[in-house]
Amino acid sequence: MTTIGIIGSGNIGGTVARLAVAGGYDVVVSNSRGPETLKDFTDELGPKARAATAAEAAAAGDIVVVSVPFKAFPQLPVAELAGKVVLDTNNYYPQRDGAFEALDKGEKTSAQLEQEALGSARVVKVFNNIYSGHLASLPRPSGSTDRSALPIAGDDAAAKQTATEFLDAIGYDAVDAGTLADSWRQEPGTPVYGPPYGTYEVEAGTPAGADQIRQALAEAKR
C-alpha cells in the first residue's frame, strides 16, 4: 500500500490526510511544531496514521504532500524528498511570504522555485486552488456525474500520472494544466482559484467538473 507523507498538517494538508485515510492509504503527518502536537489529529485519523518529523514524513512517503507557507520551502528536507513525487499545494502571498523578484516579475512560478530547490524530487502543483472546506466536501466516486476536477501541473509525466491516480482514489478527477511554468494559471487571482467550487462563506462546495476547470484555466491572464 502506498504511504502518503504530509509536510504541513494545516487546513489543506490536514484535509488531504483525511481524504487519503478514507481512500485506504497509510499516512505519516508532520508539522512545524513537532509530532507530539499531532496526537489528537492522529487519534482522529485512526490506526492508518502516525505523526513524525517533516524529514521522517518525507522519508516514509511514497508520495509527499507539501503544504507549508511558501516562504518555508527552503527548509524542506531535500535529501529525504529526492526522487519522490511531491504534491505542492503552496501559494505565494507577498504580504505573508515577503517579496520574490522572479515571481513578482512573472519570470518564474512558485512551483518552479520549489522544484529548483528540491533537485531530483518530481514536483506536481495541485490542491492550491481550492478552499479546504470545499476540498473536504466535494469527493465523489469515480464516474459520478457531479465529480469535481482539480488542475495539476508538472514537468514529469510519470509524476503527473501518479498524482492523477491519487486524486482518483480520493474522489477527484485531474485536469492537466501543463508544465510548472504553466502553473501560474492556477495561482491566486486566476479564474480557477477558488470560485469554481463555490464561495468561502459556504463550507459545502459546488461541484466543478473537468470541462469547467479547463475553461477557467484557458481564461487565465498573466
Side-chain angles (χ1 to χ4, degrees):
M1 173 55 68
T2 302
T3 295
I4 309 299
I6 308 279
I7 299 178
S9 299
N11 291 336
I12 291 293
T15 299
V16 174
R18 291 184 180 94
L19 295 178
V21 167
Y25 292 94
D26 293 321
V27 173
V28 181
V29 296
S30 66
N31 63 14
S32 61
R33 295 174 292 130
E36 66 281 356
T37 67
L38 288 165
K39 182 180 185 306
D40 289 346
F41 186 45
T42 54
D43 286 349
E44 172 199 334
L45 292 176
K48 295 187 75 65
R50 65 181 176 89
T53 65
E56 290 166 345
D62 300 296
I63 300 170
V64 183
V65 178
V66 170
S67 193
V68 299
F70 172 72
K71 64 183 177 182
F73 80 85
Q75 282 76 56
L76 291 171
V78 176
E80 288 81 2
L81 291 172
K84 298 198 173 185
V85 175
V86 173
L87 304 185
D88 165 31
T89 82
N90 303 339
N91 284 312
Y92 169 52
Y93 301 111
Q95 66 273 25
R96 178 197 65 189
D97 299 314
F100 285 74
E101 184 176 3
L103 302 185
D104 295 335
K105 290 183 174 181
E107 296 170 350
K108 295 282 181 72
T109 65
S110 61
Q112 283 179 296
L113 292 187
E114 292 193 32
Q115 178 65 80
E116 290 171 4
L118 293 179
S120 67
R122 297 175 291 155
V123 173
V124 178
K125 191 77 167 182
V126 63
F127 298 121
N128 72 298
N129 72 310
I130 187 169
Y131 167 54
S132 60
H134 299 163
L135 180 63
S137 69
L138 287 174
R140 302 288 191 273
S142 181
S144 298
T145 56
D146 62 344
R147 202 180 209 209
S148 294
L150 294 170
I152 64 172
D155 295 339
D156 185 290
K160 286 202 282 189
Q161 181 60 34
T162 296
T164 297
E165 292 167 358
F166 176 61
L167 287 181
D168 182 54
I170 64 172
Y172 285 89
D173 290 334
V175 169
D176 192 335
T179 66
L180 295 179
D182 298 318
S183 65
W184 63 269
R185 292 184 176 275
Q186 64 196 75
E187 290 180 343
T190 62
V192 83
Y193 180 84
Y197 311 102
T199 66
Y200 293 117
E201 291 76 22
V202 180
E203 192 76 9
T206 302
D211 288 344
Q212 185 176 348
I213 298 306
R214 287 190 193 96
Q215 181 64 32
L217 289 167
E219 291 172 356
K221 292 181 173 57
R222 201 169 195 176

